C-alpha cells in the first residue's frame, strides 16, 4: 500500500535495536482516517473469501482489526494476554514469546467466540518473528475454524517470520514490508 | 442510547460481584457495525465542541475510541499501562486503581501526543468508580490541554464515580447507565 509506505518514510522513526517507531500515527496515536483507509484496503484484498470473523490480539492490534471489521461488516474478536478474572468459561489459549518485552505471554479467547464453521482473518499491526501470528493460528485451529489468511500493517521482512509462514501455505497480506532499516533509512520490499 | 440498552438487556450477562459481562458484543468480541453506530452517536453529542483529539486507555477502550475518531475524523491517543521499552522520551503518567484486577497500574502517554492547545474528549468502555477517568483527566491536565468531556459506553450508576465527577463539573455522556443489577436483572437509569 503505497500510501502507508510514504507515511512510514515521512513519519516513522528508526530506533536502536531494529525498532521502527510508528506510534505517532499507527500505534499509540492513531490517524483514524488513514486507519479506516487501511481497513478498506484489507477488505478489498480479501473480498469474496467468505470471511466471518476478524481475530487479533490486544492491545495494539485492536484498532486495525476494528477498521477491517468496519470495512467488511464483520465482528472482531481479540485475544487477551495473561489471566483475567472477568472472563468466565473455557478458553482456547496459546503461548507467545514477545521479543519487544522479552517475555512469554499466554493469549486466550473464550471458546464461544470462535465456532468450527468460522472463516477467520487474523489481523495485527506488526509481523516480525511471527510468534503472535503463530499463536493466533494455533487458537483458530483449536476451535476447528479455518484461517483464511492474515492482514498485517507493517511486516519486518528482514526477520523472516512472514516468509516462513508463507512457505507453509499461509496467505499473508502486509500493507508494507520493510526490507531493511540500516542507518535509520527504511527500505521497502 | 436506546439501542445499547436493548442490546445489553438481550445479550449482557450479570455475574457475581456486580460484573456485567458484555464481552460477546462490546468487549472481547465486538459487533463492529454497532460499535461504529455508537461512535456516530458520540459524534452527534459532542458536535460543535471543537474537539481535537480522542483519549482512551488500553486495551478495551481502544475500539470505542477508534469508532468515535472515525465518526469525528479525529486522531485517537491511548494511554499505555505499565512500562514499555519501545516508548521513548518523556511521558505524562497517572496511577490508576483497577477494581477488576485488584491492583494499581500506571498509565502513560508520550508528551508529544498531547499539546497544550488540544481539546480532548476522553473515551472508555466502562465507568464505575471513575478511577480510569480521573487518571486520564490528570494526564490531560499535566499537558495543559482541556478536557471537553467524556464518552462512556456503559456507566455503572450504582458505583457513583460518574455522579461524583459530574458534581465537579465534568461533562460525561454515557450511552447507557445501569442503575442496578439485582437478581441478574439490569435496570437502566
Amino acid at each position: 500500500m503505497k500510501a502507508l509506505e510514504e507515511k512510514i518514510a515521512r513519519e516513522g522513526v528508526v530506533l536502536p535495536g531494529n525498532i521502527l517507531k510508528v506510534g505517532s500515527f499507527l500505534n499509540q496515536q492513531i490517524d483514524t482516517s488513514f486507519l479506516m483507509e487501511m481497513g478498506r484496503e484489507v477488505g478489498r484484498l480479501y473480498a469474496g473469501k467468505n470471511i466471518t470473523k476478524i481475530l487479533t490480539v490486544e492491545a495494539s492490534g485492536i484498532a486495525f482489526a476494528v477498521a477491517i471489521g468496519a470495512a467488511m461488516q464483520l465482528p472482531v474478536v481479540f485475544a487477551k494476554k495473561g489471566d483475567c478474572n472477568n472472563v468466565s468459561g473455557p478458553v482456547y489459549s496459546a503461548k507467545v514469546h514477545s521479543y519487544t518485552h522479552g517475555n512469554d505471554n499466554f493469549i486466550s479467547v473464550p471458546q464461544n467466540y470462535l465456532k468450527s464453521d468460522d472463516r477467520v482473518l487474523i489481523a495485527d499491526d506488526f509481523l516480525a518473528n511471527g510468534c503472535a501470528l503463530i499463536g493466533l493460528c494455533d487458537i483458530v485451529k483449536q476451535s476447528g475454524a479455518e484461517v483464511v489468511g492474515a492482514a498485517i500493517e507493517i511486516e519486518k521482512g528482514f526477520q523472516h517470520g512472514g516468509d516462513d509462514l508463507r512457505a507453509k501455505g499461509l496467505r499473508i497480506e502486509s500493507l508494507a514490508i520493510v526490507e531493511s532499516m540500516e542507518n535509520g533509512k527504511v527500505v521497502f520490499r
Side-chain angles (χ1 to χ4, degrees), chain A residues 118-148:
Chain A
D118 269 325
R119 292 175 53 80
V120 179
L121 174 62
I122 296 174
D124 208 356
D125 55 345
F126 272 96
L127 167 58
N129 299 282
C131 297
L133 190 45
I134 291 167
L136 289 167
C137 285
D138 186 14
I139 281 174
V140 175
K141 272 166 203 157
Q142 289 171 41
S143 75
E146 189 177 336
V147 178
V148 177

Side-chain angles (χ1 to χ4, degrees), chain A residues 80-140:
Chain A
K80 289 198 180 187
K81 292 171 181 167
D83 294 323
C84 184
N85 69 6
N86 67 357
V87 171
S88 56
V91 297
Y92 301 116
S93 70
K95 191 163 84 172
V96 172
H97 183 74
S98 167
Y99 285 87
T100 311
H101 298 91
N103 59 4
D104 286 331
N105 278 301
F106 274 92
I107 62 172
S108 66
V109 172
Q111 292 193 2
N112 54 341
Y113 297 164
L114 285 173
K115 306 292 178 195
S116 59
D117 59 352
D118 269 325
R119 292 175 53 80
V120 179
L121 174 62
I122 296 174
D124 208 356
D125 55 345
F126 272 96
L127 167 58
N129 299 282
C131 297
L133 190 45
I134 291 167
L136 289 167
C137 285
D138 186 14
I139 281 174
V140 175

Side-chain angles (χ1 to χ4, degrees), chain A residues 42-52 71-72 74 119 121 148 171:
Chain A
V42 173
R44 196 186 62 74
L45 290 166
Y46 281 101
K49 295 297 173 193
N50 301 315
I51 291 163
T52 61
M72 302 181 80
L74 291 172
R119 292 175 53 80
L121 174 62
V148 177
R171 177 178 174 187

Side-chain angles (χ1 to χ4, degrees), chain A residues 30-71:
Chain A
I30 299 161
D31 178 337
T32 320
S33 300
F34 190 73
L35 176 77
M36 302 314 279
E37 194 180 319
M38 290 195 294
R40 287 188 292 272
E41 173 70 5
V42 173
R44 196 186 62 74
L45 290 166
Y46 281 101
K49 295 297 173 193
N50 301 315
I51 291 163
T52 61
K53 211 160 266 182
I54 315 298
L55 176 68
T56 188
V57 58
E58 66 177 0
S60 54
I62 296 175
F64 185 45
V66 164
I68 298 170

